[in-house]
Amino acid sequence: MNTADPNTPQTETVLILDFGSQYAQLIARRVREAGVFSLLMRPDAPLDEIRAHKPRGIILSGGPSSVSEDGAPRCDARVFDLGIPVLGICYGMQLTAELLGGRVEGAPHREYGRAQLQLNAPAGLLHGVPDHATVWMSHGDQVLALPSGFSTIASTPTCPFAAVEDRARRIFGVQFHPEVTHTAHGMDIIRNFLFQECGCAGSWRMSDFVETECRRIRGRVGSSRVLCGLSGGVDSSVVAALLARAIGKQLCCIFVDNGLLRKGERELVESTFRGHFDVDLRVVDATQDFLGDLAGVADPQQKRRLIGHRFIDVFQRAAKSIEGDVRFLAQGTLYPDVIESGHGHAGTAANIKLHHNVGGLPEDLGFELIEPLRSLFKDEVRKLGEVLGLPESIVWRHPFPGPGLAVRCLGPVSEEQLRVLRDCDEILLQEIVSAGLYRQTDQVFAVLLPVKSVGVMGDGRTYDSVVAIRAVTTQDFMTADWARLPSEVLATISSRLINEVKGVNRVVYDISSKPPATIEWE
């Protein structure tokens, strides 16, 4: 399923045929950053499906395969006959050459890293690129003979056909990766392809997405009602705000208070969606149910299972009480979720995980799914939240685990431990925001450890809890590094936690990276 309506015929669209490149999503992001809507598609997408999108251009991504291998991914060779500009990147360039009659063979040495590009034709695709430019190479095969009609526009000392073109047919190829930051003028090359070769205007904006998606939602929903599981996180909040704009009171949001939330979280959600957006919001306080399930449970996986099962039960019971024709369930599925699940362009994406974004809700709830964010990346969702008027505290909120504070309270969970952890979390975030570090870090939180230590406070001995502070920076949350917070900020945080939170007498800082450690402790 593609979310095709954002790229209606009135919207400029560039399609990216993904041959399994680790940079495929990055290409899509770079195109969108230039103001042109992009969609990733499977490499063997039928020609009719490609035509249906009315693309201004097509980009063939890189990939780990060799074009000579059995089973190597291929596209329909007729994409070159559509009269649409095509840009092949790395494997995409090699496949272009091979399909059009050129010759591709293994290079004497696999080329990986920076290389110096020498321009032959500093115009067209390479307009504005210096005669000598640094580019990023990553390839084992190489084009050794060009197809008829092609000419060389740039080379490197080890790659005579580093950039090529068939000017008459508007087909281009680059052996390097313009989408990565290591290629100094890569965005210039991408913009040249989009604006000079494809004739795009770069007019795609998030405000356009709002109006187009609202029309699509209204057309699909009609007079029915839509349920939305609201967590307070950015994804579900943006979905709720978008649906509120589109269908008003036909939307009903269910917020489950599981007793594992941060301080003030329920109040923030209520004031935002009842006050500002005037949404039909049903808050279900199931604190005692969740804490009862968790009593005495120390194993983190068991905690997650119990919380997930209870959430489904509470949500189902709440859903049954909603009046009217409730046919749809809205979820905050994002584009990376679709791709990782293998649904975005099945056949090249590994089926890493199946995403059910509303608390792990099963598919057999009996609702039709609405996933209005499934064509957007995370940073685009945040931009959408700003356009919709969500408060900064929600739009730029750091990720918060679905099981909540239960997995930041190591060992069995109690109300007293949750009280300590909430107070610590509030102070920690206050100091991170005060120091101007919230937007410079990607996740910051406190962990209550299942140990006690001796301390001295005043004239007396204490035997109280230890709190660990975790702060990381990351681009994709697949890997992460511990944040180098200033020592004076850490000192202030430690002093406040020990002096203001009853039950804490020691603070430690987690300096583990992912891998080998995970971001969350449980």
Side-chain angles (χ1 to χ4, degrees), residues 143-154:
V143 177
L144 297 185
L146 293 176
S148 175
F150 278 79
S151 60
T152 306
I153 56 176

Side-chain angles (χ1 to χ4, degrees), residues 36-56:
V36 178
F37 189 75
S38 63
L39 274 179
L40 285 166
M41 298 186 71
R42 55 186 296 162
D44 58 349
L47 210 61
D48 288 345
E49 186 179 341
I50 291 173
R51 285 197 188 100
H53 288 282
K54 302 187 185 310
R56 291 293 188 91

Side-chain angles (χ1 to χ4, degrees), residues 12 14 26-38 59 186-196 199-205 379-380 383:
E12 299 171 333
V14 166
L26 187 56
I27 299 171
R29 292 172 68 91
R30 294 289 184 249
V31 173
R32 293 188 186 188
E33 286 169 6
V36 178
F37 189 75
S38 63
I59 297 176
M187 272 305 291
D188 292 332
I189 294 170
I190 290 172
R191 289 192 186 99
N192 287 339
F193 177 70
L194 298 174
F195 303 136
Q196 295 194 38
C200 295
S203 57
W204 185 71
R205 298 292 182 269
D379 58 322
E380 294 172 325
K383 291 176 186 175

